[in-house]
Amino acid sequence: MVESQSLGGALLVALGAAPGACLRWWLVRQWSPAWAGRHRQHQLPGNAGAPWATMAVNGMASGALGVLAGVLAPHPQGEAWLWLGVGFAGSLSTFSTLMVDVTLLLRTGHRQEALGLTGASVVAGYGLLALGLALGEALTP
Amino acid sequence: MTTEVQRVLWVAAGAVPGGLLRWQAAILLGPDLPPGGSDLLVNGLGSLLLGWLVTRPSRQDLQLLLGAGFCGSLTTFSSWMLVTARLQRQGFVMGLLWLALGLAVGLAMAWLGQRLGQGLGQGQRPS
């Protein structure tokens, strides 16, 4: 159990948040080209392919958080949760980028794409989280 | 020219305060709110800020610091899904309502941020 407002707790969150955010940024750049062609073909706004790459990273982070939450269920507020859960998985995933991407699609009249991106994000995120949670709980004695 | 290492450092420099603020919001406001309430709050706040930010023509390092770094880490998608999964165990409708609430707040704030950034009353189309 970490003291809730201790310097140690802040350090753990920071040590998770920095690599989490950097990995997200790097993965989005790596994976964007996979969706960029389709993005340009439909003349969608924003960085080509990035919204779908963000969806993939969000799904990955949700799966990781699910495993962690399952494994750490006996002691949910410990140091590992602060570092890997709040810090790393929390920063690896992002919500604001998805919301801005969806509003950009909606404002430029791409309703189907907006719905598709939202639906795919939620389905992938929820599915991987539930899978991770079940896996984590099964791994815990 | 910004090098690759510098870009990574900008993202990290924004991510640390973003993550810490989200954590502190959970500690300070969490006890008074339902589970996930503080995440909903910071997700709304981050969406507002990022919505405003994307309408501003600004230097790439600032976009990395405030956008990918700060807003990206302040807001979280995985916790939203975790709370949804936990609510889902209490009842299917509860989980769906939580999803819809998160979406409604996030989209409204992102939209508001873009309107504020472009100046209220100006054209509808993003620049």
Side-chain angles (χ1 to χ4, degrees), chain B residues 1-14:
Chain B
M1 264 323 265
T2 322
T3 67
E4 197 72 359
V5 176
Q6 280 174 317
R7 290 199 189 97
V8 169
L9 287 177
W10 281 116
V11 175

Side-chain angles (χ1 to χ4, degrees), chain A residues 58-71 121-139, chain B residues 77-89 92:
Chain A
N58 272 342
M60 205 176 88
S62 301
L65 191 74
V67 173
L68 197 69
V71 169
S121 295
V122 169
V123 168
Y126 183 82
L128 286 168
L129 187 121
L131 196 70
L133 201 57
L135 193 70
E137 282 169 347
L139 287 173
Chain B
F77 180 87
S78 49
S79 295
W80 184 38
M81 289 297 124
L82 183 63
V83 174
T84 304
R86 285 184 174 148
L87 282 173
Q88 204 84 329
R89 289 181 176 182
F92 185 70

Side-chain angles (χ1 to χ4, degrees), chain B residues 1-122:
Chain B
M1 264 323 265
T2 322
T3 67
E4 197 72 359
V5 176
Q6 280 174 317
R7 290 199 189 97
V8 169
L9 287 177
W10 281 116
V11 175
V16 169
L20 287 175
L21 192 59
R22 171 163 44 80
W23 173 58
Q24 280 302 307
I27 288 174
L28 298 174
L29 307 172
D32 301 323
L33 297 169
S38 71
D39 288 335
L40 184 69
L41 203 75
V42 293
N43 276 354
L45 194 68
S47 302
L48 180 78
L49 183 60
L50 191 67
W52 175 81
L53 195 69
V54 294
T55 61
R56 304 275 97 187
S58 60
R59 288 158 49 195
Q60 196 208 16
D61 47 9
L62 275 177
Q63 294 278 353
L64 289 176
L65 178 78
L66 295 173
F70 184 76
C71 288
S73 287
L74 176 64
T75 63
T76 179
F77 180 87
S78 49
S79 295
W80 184 38
M81 289 297 124
L82 183 63
V83 174
T84 304
R86 285 184 174 148
L87 282 173
Q88 204 84 329
R89 289 181 176 182
Q90 294 170 24
F92 185 70
V93 179
M94 289 283 285
L96 275 188
L97 282 177
W98 181 248
L99 272 181
L101 182 66
L103 272 180
V105 169
L107 290 177
M109 295 303 260
W111 178 82
L112 186 66
Q114 289 168 58
R115 287 306 299 268
L116 291 174
Q118 290 168 340
L120 290 167
Q122 281 182 21

Side-chain angles (χ1 to χ4, degrees), chain A:
Chain A
M1 183 75 194
V2 181
E3 193 67 36
S4 62
Q5 274 145 342
S6 69
L7 201 61
L11 198 63
L12 283 169
V13 172
L15 282 176
C22 292
L23 183 62
R24 163 166 44 80
W25 175 72
W26 186 77
L27 283 176
V28 165
R29 280 204 326 176
Q30 292 295 306
W31 291 347
S32 290
W35 282 280
R38 202 184 146 279
H39 196 118
R40 286 199 200 91
Q41 193 190 335
H42 293 265
Q43 297 184 319
L44 305 175
N47 292 336
W52 286 272
T54 304
M55 173 204 76
V57 177
N58 272 342
M60 205 176 88
S62 301
L65 191 74
V67 173
L68 197 69
V71 169
L72 296 179
H75 28 82
Q77 296 300 323
E79 297 175 2
W81 179 252
L82 280 186
W83 179 40
L84 295 172
V86 177
F88 184 75
S91 288
L92 181 61
S93 68
T94 181
F95 179 85
S96 49
T97 308
L98 173 66
M99 290 302 121
V100 168
D101 287 340
V102 171
T103 47
L104 270 177
L105 287 169
L106 284 175
R107 300 182 73 197
T108 49
H110 298 94
R111 291 210 186 99
Q112 251 183 326
E113 291 288 334
L115 195 67
L117 179 63
T118 310
S121 295
V122 169
V123 168
Y126 183 82
L128 286 168
L129 187 121
L131 196 70
L133 201 57
L135 193 70
E137 282 169 347
L139 287 173
T140 313

